[in-house]
Amino acid sequence: MTDIILFDYWRSSASYRVRIALNLKGVAYTAINTSLLDGDQKAPAYVARNPQGLVPMLSIDGHDLTQSLAIIDYLDAQYEEPPMVSRDPLERATTLAQAMIIAADIHPVNNLRILKYLKDELGQSQDAIDGWYRHWIAEGFAALETMAPDSGLFGGDQPNLADVCLVPQMANARRFETDLSGFPKLVRIDAACNALEAFQKAAPEAVKPAE
């Protein structure tokens, strides 16, 4: 039993990022299913440790860490290989900019609580909500496609933070039937990453709790 515990939800793309990073770095952990649909993340005991009431949360080294990119940054400091960002200032800034297109621009307006608000509070139809989802993915992906390399991964020969953020967002894009024909480089990078064991073991279908 490891003392590294990931409070996880199988379909959460933010949790997916952390699972990938843990796997890439070879860090063993125990996952605790924290169902967003059942409201586990709003339980008083959980909120006492994570005031936002969101997933993921990583309990490690006596700390409860929240926010996926902050968690990955901690892992990168504690476990150097493979690095998620370069030590070169320009390369680091470039990778962070690419990752943030997903983590700061696409994901926040498309996560479950936003979609529920659109439906429950604003009375939007499911078709309208799905269109909203696809719109913000396409807008972000259009920029990311121009920044993507013509060969290899965002990280070159090995995945970096941008790759770790891309793969969960591509899974979401497919789940919402987003047209990906305009993003061939992103599709290529996604396929190459998903051929790696660390990504395969982190995939939603690989960690979904048995019913």
Side-chain angles (χ1 to χ4, degrees):
M1 184 75 170
T2 177
D3 60 357
I4 300 176
I5 299 172
L6 178 65
F7 294 84
D8 184 28
Y9 180 57
W10 67 279
R11 189 168 264 176
S12 161
S13 58
S15 296
Y16 192 173
R17 297 170 198 151
V18 174
R19 295 194 301 265
I20 294 169
L22 286 164
N23 292 347
L24 284 170
K25 290 179 177 294
V27 178
Y29 67 95
T30 297
I32 294 182
N33 182 47
T34 308
S35 174
L36 300 183
L37 294 183
D38 294 339
D40 294 348
Q41 79 282 10
K42 298 300 182 184
Y46 186 81
V47 174
R49 299 172 65 177
N50 180 352
Q52 274 194 298
L54 300 173
V55 293
M57 178 170 72
L58 186 69
S59 178
I60 184 172
D61 300 333
H63 309 294
D64 289 331
L65 305 181
T66 63
Q67 290 289 345
S68 63
L69 266 60
I71 293 170
I72 294 170
D73 184 67
Y74 182 91
L75 293 172
D76 218 24
Q78 293 290 79
Y79 307 91
E80 294 184 359
E81 295 297 329
M84 294 291 95
V85 293
S86 172
R87 292 186 179 275
D88 176 83
L90 179 57
E91 291 181 5
R92 177 186 174 90
T94 299
T95 298
L96 287 172
Q98 294 163 344
M100 294 294 277
I101 288 175
I102 293 169
D105 294 333
I106 298 175
H107 176 247
V109 296
N110 275 352
N111 67 20
L112 181 61
R113 60 180 180 164
I114 299 299
L115 303 184
K116 289 181 68 176
Y117 190 88
L118 289 171
K119 184 174 184 178
D120 297 339
E121 302 299 327
L122 300 182
Q124 296 298 308
S125 68
Q126 191 60 52
D127 285 346
I129 293 169
D130 291 351
W132 164 283
Y133 199 104
R134 289 189 289 265
H135 169 81
W136 296 114
I137 287 178
E139 184 172 283
F141 275 9
L144 197 58
E145 176 75 13
T146 66
M147 302 169 76
D150 291 327
S151 63
L153 309 177
F154 278 105
D157 293 334
Q158 63 183 14
N160 69 6
L161 182 62
D163 298 297
V164 167
C165 288
L166 174 66
V167 168
Q169 195 59 62
M170 289 289 283
N172 286 345
R174 291 190 173 95
R175 185 159 64 93
F176 279 80
E177 299 180 344
T178 306
D179 181 4
L180 298 175
S181 61
F183 316 115
K185 290 190 286 187
L186 300 186
V187 170
R188 185 201 76 241
I189 292 168
D190 176 63
C193 286
N194 279 312
L196 303 175
E197 184 179 22
F199 286 80
Q200 293 170 0
K201 288 185 174 180
E205 57 271 18
V207 301
K208 181 180 180 181
E211 295 182 357

